[in-house]
Amino acid sequence: MSTTNTGGPPDTSETIWERAHESTEFRELRSRLRRFVFPMTAVFLLWYLLYVLLADYAHGFMSTKVWGNINVGLIFGLLQFVSTFVITGLYVRYANRKLDPVAEKIREDIEGDSAKEQA
């Protein structure tokens, strides 16, 4: 998006952002994020859908006692929470290794470009 310049200084923040957004590093960062988020979201939603379908259509299986008053349905329900924490841990590890270094490089480039254009 271009802004009309009325003779004043150029809009450096928009120019810097456009360059950053079009950079190879930014495209790689977005690609790496999507490679993790989309498959993990699909896996989690399928796991949750399985839980809901079993709860609705497999009453006998879900009410099978495992130990005392603990049944399969309760275990599957608790595993929903466990899977959420596991996914969060996997994302943090993935972000630390694959996303944060690229994001840091982009940030440094933007701050360096900003300092150059202000000088």
Side-chain angles (χ1 to χ4, degrees):
M1 170 160 72
S2 176
T3 58
T4 305
N5 191 343
T6 58
D11 185 358
T12 57
S13 62
E14 184 176 328
T15 305
I16 292 169
W17 168 248
E18 286 173 352
R19 280 196 304 253
H21 190 262
E22 294 168 358
S23 71
T24 303
E25 290 90 3
F26 186 83
R27 284 192 299 259
E28 178 64 24
L29 178 64
R30 188 174 50 213
S31 174
R32 287 180 182 189
L33 177 68
R34 290 176 177 171
R35 278 194 302 257
F36 181 87
V37 170
F38 291 155
M40 195 60 64
T41 300
V43 166
F44 181 78
L45 289 175
L46 288 172
W47 160 236
Y48 182 71
L49 180 63
L50 173 67
Y51 172 66
V52 170
L53 290 174
L54 287 173
D56 195 33
Y57 295 108
H59 296 277
F61 173 69
M62 294 296 269
S63 64
T64 302
K65 300 268 186 192
V66 175
W67 181 68
N69 287 332
I70 309 295
N71 62 24
V72 173
L74 180 61
I75 292 171
F76 274 31
L78 292 174
L79 285 174
Q80 292 293 316
F81 291 101
V82 172
S83 64
T84 301
F85 290 118
V86 168
I87 290 170
T88 301
L90 290 172
Y91 175 77
V92 168
R93 193 173 94 200
Y94 183 81
N96 286 339
R97 291 181 322 144
K98 301 284 186 177
L99 303 178
D100 291 349
V102 178
E104 181 67 22
K105 167 101 172 58
I106 293 169
R107 186 184 64 79
E108 289 171 358
D109 290 348
I110 289 172
E111 288 176 352
D113 288 348
S114 178
K116 287 179 194 173
E117 290 190 12
Q118 288 179 1

